[in-house]
Amino acid sequence: MDYPKIRINLRIIKNNVKTITSLCNSKGINVAGVTKVFCGHPEIAKTFIEGGVFCLADSRIENLVKLKDFDIPKIMLRLPMKSEVEKVVDYSDVSLNSELDTVIALSEAAIKKGKVHKIVLMVDLGDLREGYFSKETLFDAIDEIVELKGVKIIGLGTNLTCYGGVIPTKEILGRLTCIGNEIESKHNIKLHILSGGNSSTVHLLEDNETIGTNNLRLGESLVIGVETAYGKQIKGTGNDAFILHAEIIEAKEKPSVPTGKTGMDAFGNKPSYVDRGVRKRIICAVGRQDIDLESMYPLDKNIIIIGASSDHLILDCSDGDVDYKVGDIIEFRLSYAGILRGMTSEYITKEFIR
Ligand SMILES: *Cc1c(COP(=O)(O)O)cnc(C)c1O
């Protein structure tokens, strides 16, 4: 079974990684290559390493397990569940944390294994996802964590533009650096990492506005070359490393409005239609189980995506002059959410171009 398939061009990814890591390195920043969007696929992780990432990072233990044979530091990105601390200690060198109870559990697990697990504490600078929101609660937690024998605080981090859509600025990152300085003098510990966010911080690099930050955790910008604060393509990168190929299973002329009384579609929504008369429609063998309609773009610009159910994708190709037939393949560029969904689907074949 070949189709549907995502063809992954590792040369484009490697070039993206090289371009962005060189830019970051020139500003004193190292890059944690975030592998979650492609489910920690080792082939792509290897390309990240060849392209110059400093370490690998993922939000899921299952993916970190796939990366275990790479001799490079690994970061657990999502706050660990208390129920997975043993695995976190086994498969990552560093984890991002914001809960004392979890850190205590990590410390106990590490002591049992004769290890010291490294901790980066997360600070919420307004985006309202993870992290300590007030300095005082952070300082109180540090007082307790420094007493634990199985963990060592090595830095601070923040995450922005994820829930609240807050865009990183030099003022916001300046606050992180300030809090870091305060901790170093108050608690007498050295913070080696100041991790200034994800692909939405990349836009600050050009004007040197990353203020003391020495690490970024990058996923989207490496795979499709986009900074995510404003959605701009980064100079010298490509957005087409992941191309979905879907096979046509029906090609017919049909009206653009359904016949009969209409109720709900397959997903319980009430559909609406634009009457464009009789159109040439094609159905591809792929569906919502594998793809996200808003995150895929036909390479043939004359094709319009008109809908999908779990396993049927319906397209309109009347505007072009290609005479598509059953068995032909339609190609789509994928954005971040499309890559995430497609790479997660076990029904989609993954093919690599080296
Ligand atoms: C997913 C994630 C990242 C990477 O985000 P991108 O926008 O893909 O660069 C960084 N940090 C954390 C904590 C994440 O969960």
Side-chain angles (χ1 to χ4, degrees), residues 34 36 59 77-78 96 122 129-130 159 162 197-200 217-221 228 336:
V34 175
K36 67 191 181 200
S59 47
L77 278 181
R78 184 168 67 187
L96 310 186
M122 294 301 277
R129 201 177 77 179
E130 72 273 47
N159 197 61
C162 268
N198 55 49
S199 296
S200 71
R217 312 173 306 270
L218 304 180
E220 183 159 356
S221 50
T228 55
Y336 185 82

Side-chain angles (χ1 to χ4, degrees), residues 187-230:
H187 298 266
N188 198 26
I189 52 176
K190 173 96 187 100
L191 299 177
H192 301 279
I193 296 182
L194 275 185
S195 186
N198 55 49
S199 296
S200 71
T201 300
V202 170
H203 76 284
L204 294 178
L205 290 167
E206 198 173 339
D207 295 327
N208 300 310
E209 293 182 338
T210 48
I211 317 296
T213 297
N214 61 11
N215 168 271
L216 290 178
R217 312 173 306 270
L218 304 180
E220 183 159 356
S221 50
L222 300 186
V223 293
I224 55 174
V226 167
E227 64 75 25
T228 55
Y230 302 100

Side-chain angles (χ1 to χ4, degrees), residues 208-278:
N208 300 310
E209 293 182 338
T210 48
I211 317 296
T213 297
N214 61 11
N215 168 271
L216 290 178
R217 312 173 306 270
L218 304 180
E220 183 159 356
S221 50
L222 300 186
V223 293
I224 55 174
V226 167
E227 64 75 25
T228 55
Y230 302 100
K232 288 210 195 81
Q233 193 71 34
I234 299 159
K235 216 169 90 206
T237 66
N239 68 355
D240 53 353
F242 292 77
I243 302 291
L244 173 71
H245 296 233
E247 181 172 336
I248 300 175
I249 52 173
E250 187 187 283
K252 291 191 192 308
E253 306 242 311
K254 293 189 189 186
S256 36
V257 174
T259 318
K261 185 164 180 272
T262 57
M264 310 281 197
D265 68 11
F267 283 81
N269 303 311
K270 181 122 184 68
S272 61
Y273 309 93
V274 182
D275 192 351
R276 298 188 176 101
V278 171

